[in-house]
Amino acid sequence: MNTPDCIKTRRSVRVFQDTPIPRQTMEQIVALASYAPSWKNTQVARYLVVDRREEIQAIAQTYATFNSRILSTCTALVALTALKHRSGYERDGSFSTDRGDGWTMFDCGIAAQTFCLAAQELGVGTVILGIFDRAGLQAYLQIPQDRELVALIAAGYPGEEPNAPKRKPVEELLSYWDGSVTADQPQ
């Protein structure tokens, strides 16, 4: 699959087949996701895969009730974590920009999308989930203190083919600055 096709055909899949993802396939996905760019190549993203059905159900019932319908069919739940105090930091521990440690979320967003595109390439469907009891799930999964739980990615072989949602036209998304002051720019 070429890059434009992978980007255009990747969808948020919320219904999955009852076919486990082989661990070798998950390793291929993470190997590809490891190429996601990050702040000063810090590579802060870490992936913890829960692939036992009873554990996924326990997580859904206790920590992710809002997404329990999605989790009821996924065959793998990926906890995307990040190493703390790396993205956006200098070696002395100070921040490099006024964004503070906001770069951690930026890097994890890139990592999550790269993970999902790699999964798409290998025929695995995904959806990124953000509504869950982060503190509770972080404790349940025994995430080390030097990491934080950022997002969950439900994964499995697609049991549906969602249509592409309407996209905004390029004219609405793109503008070029010509050096002049516009009405929505401060003077």
Side-chain angles (χ1 to χ4, degrees), residues 148-166:
E148 70 177 297
L149 179 57
V150 175
L152 298 176
I153 303 173
Y157 293 101
E160 66 176 358
E161 291 186 32
N163 293 323
K166 184 178 178 185

Side-chain angles (χ1 to χ4, degrees), residues 1 26 86-87 113 120 137-138 141 151 153 159 164 166 181:
M1 178 179 309
M26 190 61 73
R86 301 243 177 120
S87 292
Q113 178 67 351
Q120 171 73 8
L137 186 53
Q138 188 159 310
L141 294 173
I153 303 173
K166 184 178 178 185
V181 176

Side-chain angles (χ1 to χ4, degrees), residues 81-103:
T81 68
L83 294 173
K84 296 178 182 176
H85 310 298
R86 301 243 177 120
S87 292
Y89 288 84
E90 294 297 323
R91 289 185 189 267
D92 66 4
S94 65
F95 294 125
S96 300
T97 75
D98 65 353
R99 299 266 182 213
D101 64 355
W103 283 101

